[in-house]
Amino acid sequence: MRPQILFPLFAEVSSLKGVGPKVLPLVQKVAGPLVRDLLFLPPSGVVVRRPMTAANATEGSVGLFEVMIDRLFVPGKPGAPIKVRASDETGFVHLIWFGGSAQHIERLLPKGQTRIVSGKVERFNNEVQIVHPDIFKPDEADDIAMTEPVYPATQGLTSRQIRKFVQGAMEHAVDLPEWQDPAWLERQRFPAWHAALERLHAPQGEPDLAPEAVARQRLAYDELFAHQLALARRRRARQITPAPVIRPGEASERLLAALPFTLTGAQAQAVEDIRRDLASGEQMGRLLQGDVGSGKTAVAALALADAAASGFQSALMAPTEILARQHYQRLAPMLEGAGVTAVLLTGRDTQAERRPKLAALASGEAQVAIGTHALFQDAVRFDRLALAVIDEQHRFGVNERQRLQAKGDPRTGGVHLLTMSATPIPRTLELTQYGELDVSRLTEKPPGRTPVTTAVLPQARIGEVAKRLKAALDTGAQAYWICPLVAESEASDLAAAEARAADLRRILQVEVGLAHGQMPGAEREAVMADFADGRTPLLVATTVVEVGVDVPNASIMVIEHADRFGLAQLHQLRGRVGRGAKASTCLLLYGGGDDGLGETAKLRLETLRRTEDGFEIAEEDFRLRGGGDPLGLKQSGFPAYRFADPIRHRSLLLAAADDARLVLGRDPDLTSPRGEAIRVLEALFDWKADRGGAD
Ligand code: ADP
Ligand code: MG
């Protein structure tokens, strides 16, 4: 329930003076539907007016001139500007209007009168001029704002209008109880919330707009704290949900023995983390974060075996048919050997194939279900589902995951969740995205990997690349060739990929598979499967090469127009090779024709050449792009902060996460005085799952 004190802030913007039906949709678009949203709209700039004279006027700055009006020049022909000449003791100041009514201007600027004019100083023929100046009478001098915030204007709504509405909204900005720890505020020199908001909308200069300005930091900290509280609350809710106690047993032992390798230290640690969670009686919510090829599947397999050993069922869900199939083909025999029955459920099963599988899951005869989206369909029922494992979790929505988890038996408690991700993101971002989950990281790669040699080449050397490729294919190697979707239309991109496949078929005289996004799923997967099984040596693909597909024999990756990819994406693509014993190569081709490569683009590709560490690449990508939306995170459920910048406010984010957990640990129901104030903060920001944070 929303605290009453917030009601004025949650009033509709239409209740503000001047926000009539015409501007309402514009205000809603720029800020949002509520008075609060206007208050939370930070200015994008600031105008600082400086008193000047015609002689000392600085071009490019906003000047304030006290002048006498000399003359009005009305243009002879339509379209030419209206000019007014004014002057002070030191020289002329020309005032210019493009369009507008001469009579109106003359009324504002009567000849022989003194006026104060203000605007951005330009020089034209070495004379000072101001286009569309602000005009004040001498007796208005005291009312002139020497600094004025600039808001992101949109079509039909000026910065000035927005400023007026924001000021109207400020009148609703009541004082709120302090929700932050006073000692922390003092240490950070943070102003109170209301003062910070006032300062936000009355910047005195550029420094006040910087993320480092204390008022901005205060508001950012509130926002991060509110978000972390929301995540910490969900985390607590999960932890107090009882869930089946799962312990490793004979099946786990046998599965471990059946793995054709020993676990890396990082894998063993992750297994230990998971086992601790599963045995706790509380519901697990863990993210297994590990670069492509880091061996997440084996860790997941042990969890599946543990569940079976304790008499429970589990499900492993993958985003695509081919991945699900690959998991099944690898895991089913090992699980079978450990006495655990697994079934594969995909959208491609016929009714007749499906029926016995569904029956086996419903009766508990099959302990493990591996599959795609088909797994969370209503027809799928479990006898005693206790663990859900989601591979490539970002490919699923929250709802899909919840629908799978909802298949648990309420009598045995909640379904444990293990999600897996190969998207390397910087640690701080992990907090914003997965703050609610516990995280295990596979930081070390399995042994026996041959590092991938990466070369960066101009597209012009493509002939040479083809020749080297031919030689490698002749020795039995397999290769991927990526043609990105870059052109104006998908159709022409597709044509480019088709043409490339045809070229390579002709030049190399080998079978060439072609996989692209517009193919029917089944057809595409058949092409991928031919490649995976070694029937085609070369696979030309648009970016649809499935994340997670494992073809150890593939040792060459050619990426055309590599400069048009994000680093993280290139890293993922490169991760398709270097999975077997063969020395692997990744060739990044850049530019078409004689295009040069920009400095940043060079640095980016250079990063890839230098390192294979996904986390290092993610950090570097982040740095080179200077924040923004480095990894396409906005699309993947990244929170839309209004004040906070997870990069620039990195240390605030860490502090907010700590503080949120601490506060809820001490005062879970938020009944202390600070707790009550914190509830106001929570309601103020009103974090919802759909506003990001991959719950
Ligand atoms: P990902 O983390 O991308 O899902 P996989 O689980 O598919 O990685 O593992 C990639 C490859 O590494 C597989 O072929 C797997 O058999 C192998 N692998 C996994 N763990 C180890 C290990 N500890 N030692 C050697 N090879 C391993
Ligand atoms: Mg995988």
Side-chain angles (χ1 to χ4, degrees):
M1 224 182 28
R2 180 173 301 141
Q4 201 159 354
I5 194 169
L6 291 180
F7 287 2
L9 296 177
F10 279 77
E12 302 278 330
V13 281
S14 57
S15 68
L16 292 173
K17 215 176 110 215
V19 184
K22 231 174 81 201
V23 292
L24 179 62
L26 301 171
V27 176
Q28 287 171 333
K29 189 166 145 232
V30 174
L34 305 173
V35 166
R36 173 202 65 179
D37 301 325
L38 268 170
L39 294 173
F40 283 4
L41 180 71
S44 53
V46 56
V47 169
V48 180
R49 298 200 162 88
R50 286 193 288 146
M52 294 180 188
T53 63
N56 72 10
T58 345
E59 207 178 335
S61 302
V62 177
L64 195 65
F65 300 83
E66 186 169 347
V67 290
M68 175 85 86
I69 307 305
D70 295 340
R71 234 188 118 168
L72 175 76
F73 300 89
V74 179
K77 51 181 182 217
I82 302 171
K83 283 188 202 174
V84 168
R85 194 179 73 192
S87 59
D88 60 17
E89 278 96 75
T90 68
F92 292 124
V93 176
H94 297 265
L95 311 173
I96 316 279
W97 285 264
F98 296 98
S101 125
Q103 284 102 319
H104 178 64
I105 291 167
E106 195 164 19
R107 231 175 297 126
L108 287 174
L109 299 168
K111 199 171 152 186
Q113 300 257 324
T114 301
R115 287 290 180 272
I116 297 168
V117 296
S118 172
K120 188 154 163 207
V121 175
E122 295 174 8
R123 274 184 194 278
F124 187 72
N125 289 337
N126 208 26
E127 299 209 8
V128 175
Q129 74 171 34
I130 300 173
V131 176
H132 299 171
D134 298 322
I135 300 161
F136 308 92
K137 292 189 182 139
D139 63 358
E140 293 171 327
D142 290 346
D143 301 334
I144 302 173
M146 297 307 279
T147 59
E148 193 177 306
V150 176
Y151 292 92
T154 55
Q155 194 68 38
L157 199 59
T158 64
S159 162
R160 276 271 166 89
Q161 284 173 294
I162 299 171
R163 185 169 75 111
K164 210 180 74 208
F165 300 145
V166 169
Q167 281 169 347
M170 267 318 275
E171 284 164 28
H172 297 248
V174 282
D175 261 325
L176 296 177
E178 183 55 73
W179 44 71
Q180 299 296 4
D181 174 34
W184 160 257
L185 288 182
E186 199 174 328
R187 197 147 19 105
Q188 298 292 315
R189 305 195 189 289
F190 284 172
W193 176 76
H194 193 274
L197 207 56
E198 262 174 5
R199 186 67 185 217
L200 176 79
H201 293 296
Q204 299 303 299
E206 288 292 333
D208 281 348
L209 299 177
E212 292 74 27
V214 282
R216 292 232 164 183
Q217 284 201 43
R218 155 82 211 217
L219 296 168
Y221 188 73
D222 287 344
E223 182 168 45
L224 292 166
F225 184 53
H227 185 212
Q228 289 299 319
L229 279 167
L231 295 171
R233 270 178 182 275
R234 275 188 259 164
R235 183 184 152 89
R236 279 192 75 77
R238 188 191 80 225
Q239 285 168 335
I240 57 175
T241 307
V245 173
I246 292 175
R247 292 209 172 82
E250 204 194 319
S252 325
E253 301 281 312
R254 280 161 69 182
L255 184 89
L256 186 62
L259 290 176
F261 44 74
T262 42
L263 297 182
T264 63
Q267 283 171 317
Q269 179 61 51
V271 169
E272 199 183 309
D273 294 344
I274 291 166
R275 286 189 168 157
R276 194 178 345 100
D277 293 352
L278 291 178
S280 69
E282 295 173 354
Q283 193 178 10
M284 173 171 80
R286 186 168 286 277
L287 169 69
L288 179 58
Q289 171 86 274
D291 221 338
V292 282
S294 58
K296 294 185 288 295
T297 319
V299 174
L302 281 165
L304 303 178
D306 288 356
S310 295
F312 291 103
Q313 290 173 297
S314 55
L316 168 58
M317 186 159 74
T320 65
E321 174 102 20
I322 187 163
L323 267 178
R325 214 165 271 285
Q326 192 169 72
H327 281 319
Y328 181 77
Q329 281 161 1
R330 298 229 164 127
L331 297 180
M334 281 192 277
L335 287 167
E336 213 67 55
V340 179
T341 306
V343 294
L344 174 68
L345 275 182
T346 75
R348 229 189 288 161
D349 296 332
T350 62
Q351 281 299 334
E353 286 167 328
R354 236 168 122 72
R355 217 169 290 121
K357 295 180 189 175
L358 293 181
L361 288 175
S363 69
E365 187 194 323
Q367 293 105 319
V368 175
I370 297 176
T372 57
H373 296 72
L375 278 183
F376 58 72
Q377 251 84 78
D378 290 337
V380 182
R381 296 218 170 77
F382 291 87
D383 178 35
R384 45 190 197 286
L385 179 68
L387 167 68
V389 181
I390 316 271
D391 197 11
E392 311 298 345
Q393 58 81 28
H394 61 280
R395 304 271 299 264
F396 292 98
V398 175
N399 287 343
E400 298 175 316
R401 196 213 66 210
Q402 282 169 348
R403 276 180 70 187
L404 181 57
Q405 277 187 291
K407 292 182 185 291
D409 180 347
R411 283 165 308 175
T412 55
V415 170
H416 295 290
L417 174 70
L418 176 65
T419 64
M420 306 199 283
S421 167
T423 307
I425 59 174
R427 208 173 278 266
T428 23
L429 291 194
E430 196 173 88
L431 263 179
T432 69
Q433 234 183 337
Y434 308 112
E436 176 229 0
L437 299 175
D438 297 305
V439 181
S440 298
R441 285 184 166 225
L442 299 182
T443 45
E444 121 194 52
K445 287 243 168 122
R449 291 297 158 79
T450 44
V452 180
T453 308
T454 300
V456 181
L457 302 169
Q459 183 87 18
R461 287 172 63 185
I462 192 165
E464 201 182 311
V465 170
K467 217 177 282 166
R468 274 163 65 187
L469 183 58
K470 171 75 178 158
L473 297 185
D474 283 346
T475 67
Q478 284 183 278
Y480 295 94
W481 187 294
I482 310 295
C483 299
L485 292 174
V486 290
E488 316 67 51
S489 78
E490 281 188 50
S492 63
D493 271 328
L494 194 50
E498 274 165 354
R500 183 62 79 222
D503 286 348
L504 291 168
R505 222 171 263 136
R506 185 169 43 77
I507 299 169
L508 305 177
Q509 295 290 313
V510 294
E511 286 275 329
V512 178
L514 173 64
H516 59 78
Q518 278 148 290
M519 274 175 152
E523 200 180 309
R524 186 171 75 224
E525 298 206 353
V527 173
M528 302 283 294
D530 277 343
F531 183 67
D533 298 341
R535 285 189 293 273
T536 40
L538 179 61
L539 179 70
V540 172
T542 54
T543 47
V544 297
V545 179
E546 304 291 349
V547 168
V549 170
D550 192 24
V551 185
N553 190 50
S555 59
I556 299 167
M557 168 70 61
V558 181
I559 304 176
E560 287 194 59
H561 290 300
D563 45 315
R564 304 191 191 177
F565 283 98
L567 277 193
Q569 215 180 350
L570 288 172
H571 173 68
Q572 292 267 356
L573 286 168
R574 180 173 60 180
R576 307 291 104 224
V577 297
R579 298 185 150 223
K582 277 210 184 82
S584 295
T585 312
C586 175
L587 300 175
L588 303 174
L589 303 182
Y590 63 81
D594 321 314
D595 294 11
L597 195 56
E599 220 23 64
T600 312
K602 239 180 234 154
L603 276 173
R604 292 173 65 234
L605 295 184
E606 176 57 28
T607 306
L608 277 170
R609 217 182 52 68
R610 193 181 65 233
T611 177
E612 277 190 71
D613 180 332
F615 293 102
E616 192 182 329
I617 290 168
E619 296 277 359
E620 185 68 7
D621 203 14
F622 222 3
R623 205 182 57 71
L624 286 174
R625 298 199 197 194
D629 185 22
L631 310 169
L633 295 172
K634 289 221 169 93
Q635 286 114 58
S636 60
F638 190 62
Y641 291 126
R642 303 172 210 239
F643 302 118
D645 173 341
I647 315 288
R648 310 281 287 273
H649 296 131
R650 184 191 171 96
S651 58
L652 293 183
L653 172 54
L654 297 171
D658 280 350
D659 200 16
R661 289 187 186 190
L662 199 74
V663 162
L664 286 186
R666 255 195 233 139
D667 181 15
D669 299 321
L670 296 177
T671 50
S672 68
R674 185 182 172 203
E676 278 179 30
I678 286 174
R679 271 191 274 159
V680 174
L681 170 75
E682 288 185 312
L684 178 63
F685 278 94
D686 195 21
W687 279 104
K688 296 263 165 53
D690 61 5
R691 267 191 60 204
D695 82 305

